[in-house]
Amino acid sequence: MAEPDEKAVLLLRNLKDAGCDTAMTEQFLAYEREGRSKDQRRLLFRQRNSLLQTVHKNQERIDCLDFLLHSVKQKIKSSRGEN
């Protein structure tokens, strides 16, 4: 089992890797000290939803790029006389 200091380091690394900023990390740790697990969970869900919104926004951008790529491909085929 990990030492207490090692657990703290792993927790901080995990929060950072999850995209939590300094303020969110400090809030999470404050909730930890206060034993407010439900608030920690709420905070993490808020971060998750934020990241998921970014994924959806980027998926829309990818879809637009795919449409444009398909259009250009069709234009190239037309200029070559291909169907």
Side-chain angles (χ1 to χ4, degrees):
M1 183 165 254
E3 296 289 325
D5 288 342
E6 186 179 341
K7 283 184 180 182
V9 169
L10 292 174
L11 175 61
L12 291 173
R13 183 181 306 145
N14 200 292
L15 289 166
K16 182 180 178 185
D17 290 348
C20 298
D21 62 15
T22 303
M24 185 179 295
T25 298
E26 288 174 0
Q27 186 64 63
F28 185 89
L29 296 175
Y31 288 153
E32 179 72 22
R33 287 188 298 275
E34 298 165 6
R36 296 170 58 183
S37 298
K38 288 182 182 180
D39 289 320
Q40 285 179 309
R41 187 171 187 262
R42 204 172 294 121
L43 193 66
L44 294 175
F45 267 117
R46 192 167 40 223
Q47 176 65 4
R48 184 183 188 283
N49 288 337
S50 174
L51 293 173
L52 195 55
Q53 285 178 350
T54 302
V55 168
H56 289 156
K57 189 180 295 184
N58 284 326
Q59 182 60 53
E60 290 173 7
R61 291 173 177 160
I62 291 169
D63 291 344
C64 289
L65 284 169
D66 286 345
F67 173 78
L68 291 169
L69 286 165
H70 177 74
S71 297
V72 170
K73 182 179 176 182
Q74 291 303 106
K75 195 184 302 184
I76 292 170
K77 280 185 174 183
S78 291
S79 69
R80 291 181 183 166
E82 300 173 12
N83 289 334

